[in-house]
């Protein structure tokens, strides 16, 4: 099976593989669960690549093969690697994923092709417009994104199946393909879900008058609404609410975020940390009471499910992913997009109702147990076995 990974760049040398922790874990499970060789195509890792959880794995412990590709910003192989990619496609029984110009080659050769998709049209437009400097440039980028997405959908109609990570992209793609598998991706295994006794102890301490602990984790970027989380915290602080807000991540906005908190005098209760390893983040999450999420795109961020696994209710902007998850799990509050003061007001009311927080915390845990990494991954494994 040829596994295509545009979002997880790798570096391979004689003794070590440098790779994203989450991607490595998943690929090891493919190798363990499927009776076939796993070959990964991934971009060659460059200095400064934006990944928060790289690990170095001894090559002797890697149960799959990695082929790193030099490619451009759209993940099209450079001319020097084009023939190598085509050869890898010819050798494959099944292609899983998208990128590197493999789709058309696979379809032309009659290969089984199952793309993995996660960003719907609205999210792709948001991403394309992020760095646009004016209305004309935003309009041009929007048009180009719509055209590119239409072409991609036309190509994907020829796939054997489509695996959709999250509600928004599943709702989009099932209009165009009869076989779309919905799954919710996360790193939250069953054994990582917060213990019921620990959760109940946390709820009891909050109901007993402990200061509520709020949390955000993720990239400090505009698309993740990181600055809006800071504004929510500052508004709570200025309203006289007793709370603690800890943010964990890294990104371009970190200096501005810290400066804004300092200017408001809120450094005593709003703390902006660097990124920490995922296992450490899980521990911090289990000790928190509410996750704040200001994502302005409809991406299927694993943040939601991983917050649920720590028994965290969620208060966030009403993007398509959070609206759908909240409607299913009944575990938090949804507020209008890009309105941090409205979200702050909703959180203030929620913090005055510890019983509601406790109820939503239990519902978050229950939802996480229904959608553990193992159960969601098994859906995909069963779907792939049919074609191997």
């Amino acid at each position: 099976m040829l596994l295509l990974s545009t979002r997880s760049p790798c570096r391979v040398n004689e003794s070590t593989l440098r790779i994203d922790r989450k991607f490595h874990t998943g690929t090891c499970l493919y190798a363990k669960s499927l009776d076939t060789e796993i070959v990964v195509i991934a971009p060659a890792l460059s200095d400064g690549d934006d990944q928060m959880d790289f690990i170095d794995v001894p090559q002797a412990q890697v149960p799959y093969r990695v082929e790193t590709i030099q490619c451009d910003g759209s993940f099209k192989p450079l001319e020097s690697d084009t023939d190598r990619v085509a050869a890898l496609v010819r050798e494959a029984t099944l292609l899983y994923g998208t990128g590197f110009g493999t789709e058309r080659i696979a379809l032309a050769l009659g290969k089984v092709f199952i793309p993995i998709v996660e960003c719907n049209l609205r999210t792709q437009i948001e991403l394309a417009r992020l760095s646009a400097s004016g209305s004309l440039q935003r309009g041009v980028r929007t048009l180009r994104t719509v055209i590119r997405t239409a072409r991609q959908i036309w190509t994907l109609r020829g796939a054997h199946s489509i695996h959709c990570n999250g509600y928004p992209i599943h709702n989009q793609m099932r209009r165009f393909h009869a076989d779309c598998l919905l799954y919710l991706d996360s790193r939250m295994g069953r054994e990582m879900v917060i213990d019921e006794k620990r959760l109940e102890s946390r709820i009891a301490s909050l109901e007993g008058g402990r200061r509520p602990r709020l949390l955000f984790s993720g990239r400090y970027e505009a698309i993740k609404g990181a600055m809006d989380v800071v504004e929510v915290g500052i508004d709570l602080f200025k309203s006289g609410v007793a709370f603690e807000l800890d943010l964990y991540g890294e990104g371009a906005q970190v200096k501005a975020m810290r400066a804004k908190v300092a200017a408001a005098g809120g450094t005593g209760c709003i703390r902006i940390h660097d990124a920490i390893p995922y296992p450490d983040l899980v521990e911090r999450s289990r000790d928190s009471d509410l996750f704040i999420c200001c994502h302005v795109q409809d991406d299927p961020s694993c943040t939601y499910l991983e917050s649920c696994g720590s028994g965290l209710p969620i208060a966030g902007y009403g993007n398509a992913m959070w609206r759908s998850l909240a409607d299913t799990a009944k575990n938090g509050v949804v507020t209008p997009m890009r309105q941090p003061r409205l979200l702050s007001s909703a959180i203030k009311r929620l913090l005055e109702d510890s019983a509601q927080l406790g109820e939503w915390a239990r519902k978050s845990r229950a939802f996480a147990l229904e959608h553990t990494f193992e159960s969601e991954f098994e859906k995909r494994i069963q779907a792939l076995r049919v074609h191997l």
Side-chain angles (χ1 to χ4, degrees):
M1 183 175 82
L2 195 59
L3 182 59
L4 309 169
S5 170
T6 58
R7 297 194 175 196
S8 297
C10 301
R11 180 178 294 131
V12 180
N13 59 39
E14 291 183 0
S15 61
T16 305
L17 169 65
R18 187 163 179 79
I19 189 170
D20 175 73
R21 183 192 305 270
K22 176 183 173 184
F23 183 73
H24 172 66
T25 299
T27 308
C28 286
L29 282 175
Y30 287 128
K32 180 180 179 181
S33 304
L34 297 172
D35 187 21
T36 187
E37 180 188 13
I38 306 297
V39 179
V40 173
I41 296 184
L45 178 63
S46 301
D47 292 338
D49 274 343
D50 183 21
Q51 297 282 115
M52 292 193 292
D53 202 13
F54 277 122
I55 56 173
D56 293 304
V57 185
Q59 285 283 11
Q61 299 176 15
V62 179
Y64 53 89
R65 192 172 101 227
V66 177
E67 297 285 343
T68 56
I69 301 296
Q70 298 294 334
C71 47
D72 62 18
S74 62
F75 303 107
K76 180 181 179 181
L78 300 185
E79 187 174 351
S80 58
D81 278 337
T82 300
D83 290 342
R84 186 156 64 98
V85 169
L88 288 167
V89 174
R90 284 194 296 271
E91 295 169 2
T93 303
L94 164 66
L95 276 75
Y96 191 39
T98 57
F100 310 106
T102 57
E103 297 93 334
R104 294 183 184 281
I105 301 173
L107 293 173
L109 294 174
K111 298 288 184 178
V112 177
F113 166 46
I114 302 178
I116 305 169
V117 291
E118 63 177 45
C119 290
N120 66 356
L121 177 59
R122 181 180 177 278
T123 297
Q124 292 188 57
I125 290 173
E126 287 281 353
L127 291 168
R129 289 160 59 107
L130 268 181
S131 59
S133 58
S135 58
L136 178 59
Q137 192 174 64
R138 285 194 294 271
V140 170
R141 291 189 179 185
T142 298
L143 179 59
R144 288 176 176 171
T145 301
V146 171
I147 293 172
R148 184 177 65 250
T149 301
R151 288 173 175 168
Q152 180 192 41
I153 289 173
W154 182 259
T155 300
L156 297 189
R157 285 165 64 95
H160 287 71
S161 177
I162 301 177
H163 288 191
C164 303
N165 179 13
Y167 302 109
I169 189 63
H170 183 253
N171 290 336
Q172 174 180 297
M173 295 309 299
R174 64 182 179 176
R175 303 172 188 170
F176 306 103
H177 200 288
D179 187 359
C180 290
L181 173 71
L182 167 66
Y183 71 96
L184 302 179
D185 189 29
S186 81
R187 296 166 285 188
M188 186 59 62
R190 176 167 289 273
E191 77 287 349
M192 299 179 72
V193 175
I194 188 170
D195 179 76
E196 186 175 9
K197 290 183 178 179
R198 182 170 177 176
L199 177 60
E200 292 301 328
S201 176
R202 192 188 80 200
I203 292 171
S205 69
L206 182 63
E207 291 178 343
R210 172 179 54 77
R211 179 175 296 193
R213 295 186 287 257
L214 316 183
L215 180 71
F216 168 83
S217 63
R219 297 201 306 274
Y220 295 154
E221 306 287 352
I223 198 71
K224 297 297 184 181
M227 189 65 76
D228 282 22
V229 176
V230 168
E231 291 183 12
V232 168
I234 290 173
D235 196 56
L236 289 171
F237 169 69
K238 290 182 176 179
S239 298
V241 177
F243 72 99
E244 297 175 7
L245 169 59
D246 287 286
L247 299 88
Y248 295 93
E250 62 185 19
Q253 293 186 327
V254 62
K255 290 184 179 179
M257 291 163 64
R258 287 173 173 157
K260 194 158 195 170
V261 171
T267 53
C269 59
I270 305 172
R271 297 177 289 267
I272 301 173
H273 309 273
D274 293 335
I276 57 177
Y278 180 64
D280 296 340
L281 179 62
V282 171
E283 275 302 307
R284 306 289 174 89
S285 300
R286 290 170 178 165
D287 289 333
S288 301
D289 302 298
L290 178 69
F291 191 90
I292 303 176
C293 190
C294 296
H295 289 191
V296 297
Q297 89 277 41
D298 296 334
D299 77 327
S301 175
C302 56
T303 293
Y304 299 109
L305 204 51
E306 291 169 4
S307 296
C308 291
S310 293
L312 287 175
I314 301 171
Y317 287 166
N319 60 64
M321 181 62 188
W322 172 226
R323 286 199 314 271
S324 296
L325 196 151
D327 185 59
T328 303
K330 313 294 185 187
N331 65 332
V333 61
V334 180
T335 63
M337 299 285 284
R338 304 179 191 272
Q339 298 290 328
R341 286 193 176 183
L342 292 181
L343 180 54
S344 172
S345 296
I347 292 172
K348 183 179 179 181
R349 292 191 297 272
L350 184 56
L351 295 182
E352 295 169 351
D353 189 353
S354 58
Q356 179 68 84
L357 268 175
E359 179 185 347
W360 281 348
R362 296 181 187 100
K363 287 185 175 180
S364 283
R365 180 178 182 274
F367 186 80
L369 286 171
E370 292 174 1
H371 299 277
T372 61
F373 173 83
E374 294 89 350
S375 62
E376 296 298 301
F377 193 82
E378 185 60 24
K379 290 181 188 178
R380 301 163 71 186
I381 291 295
Q382 293 296 338
L384 292 171
R385 282 193 179 125
V386 173
H387 300 285
L388 290 172

